[in-house]
Amino acid sequence: MGHRLTKIYTRTGDGGTTGLSDGSRVAKDALRVEAIGAVDELNSNLGVLLAEDMPDTVRACLADVQHDLFDLGGELSLPGHPIISATQVTQLEAWLDDFNAKLPPLKDFILPGGSRAAGLAHVARTVCRRAERRLVTLSQREQVSPLVLQYLNRLSDLLFVLSRVLNRHAGRGDVLWQQGKNR
């Protein structure tokens, strides 16, 4: 890390702008900053999820994802300098395949819930989808690496699968949607 954060407040953002890693200043509500913020929110949600009881394999996976998300935020903060690689997307796919192979096939839609950890994984999944939407919007106006979009798309799928894994770890099954239940 080139510059240590010795002073947390700088007052440079008091006027509604923030600095990107390339030194440029942009409005705090700029599309790029919205995308960075959504990725940061996702990473924070994963931090809350990691406070729960879970299998070591899931914990290790999510810890690696947190590092990737920090890389992803760094890439967004330094336009034109790719950090997320195809290897990181491939790793998500490998985890998806591995965790999903150990689950019973889905025959119905499931509702977010079950155990607390599974519920938190679903919250992280929806925050991931929002981050992905912010990046899609940004990519329509500015250059964004397709790997960043692929990463978030795979990650939301992984979080769905992990919610099912976490329910089983807690001794619970999926919460199945019952169409028309309250008619």
Side-chain angles (χ1 to χ4, degrees):
M1 194 165 150
H3 301 284
R4 291 276 178 211
L5 296 175
T6 56
K7 190 172 184 180
I8 300 303
Y9 66 92
T10 62
R11 297 185 176 111
T12 58
D14 290 352
T17 64
T18 192
L20 297 179
S21 294
D22 64 2
S24 64
R25 304 244 1 128
V26 296
K28 287 187 176 186
D29 64 351
L31 292 176
R32 184 167 296 278
V33 177
E34 282 289 329
I36 293 168
V39 170
D40 186 34
E41 183 181 358
L42 170 58
N43 210 340
S44 294
N45 273 268
L46 292 182
V48 173
L49 173 56
L50 281 163
E52 298 294 317
D53 178 51
M54 64 184 62
D56 289 341
T57 54
V58 174
R59 184 172 304 286
C61 167
L62 290 175
D64 284 350
V65 166
Q66 280 198 299
H67 287 278
D68 285 349
L69 289 175
F70 216 85
D71 288 345
L72 198 153
E75 180 170 332
L76 292 173
S77 183
L78 194 57
H81 291 84
I83 299 173
I84 294 297
S85 69
T87 302
Q88 288 162 296
V89 175
T90 302
Q91 177 60 68
L92 290 178
E93 291 172 350
W95 283 324
L96 261 164
D97 291 342
D98 182 54
F99 286 117
N100 197 46
K102 298 170 186 161
L103 294 170
L106 270 178
K107 297 177 184 172
D108 297 296
F109 288 107
I110 65 170
L111 298 176
S115 69
R116 178 175 164 80
L120 290 170
H122 279 292
V123 170
R125 173 186 56 79
T126 62
V127 172
C128 185
R129 287 289 188 202
R130 181 169 3 114
E132 183 182 14
R133 291 190 304 271
R134 296 293 182 271
L135 278 164
V136 166
T137 301
L138 176 63
S139 73
Q140 293 168 352
R141 291 173 179 85
E142 298 181 37
Q143 182 66 33
V144 173
S145 167
L147 291 172
V148 169
L149 292 168
Q150 290 172 19
Y151 187 91
L152 289 179
N153 192 26
R154 295 307 180 287
L155 178 56
S156 64
D157 292 337
L158 177 62
L159 290 167
F160 174 80
V161 168
L162 291 179
S163 72
R164 299 185 68 212
V165 170
L166 291 168
N167 267 337
R168 271 149 194 78
H169 177 72
R172 298 177 128 164
D174 297 316
V175 180
L176 300 178
W177 171 53
Q178 299 170 31
Q179 185 177 14
K181 179 180 185 299
N182 296 318
R183 285 189 193 149

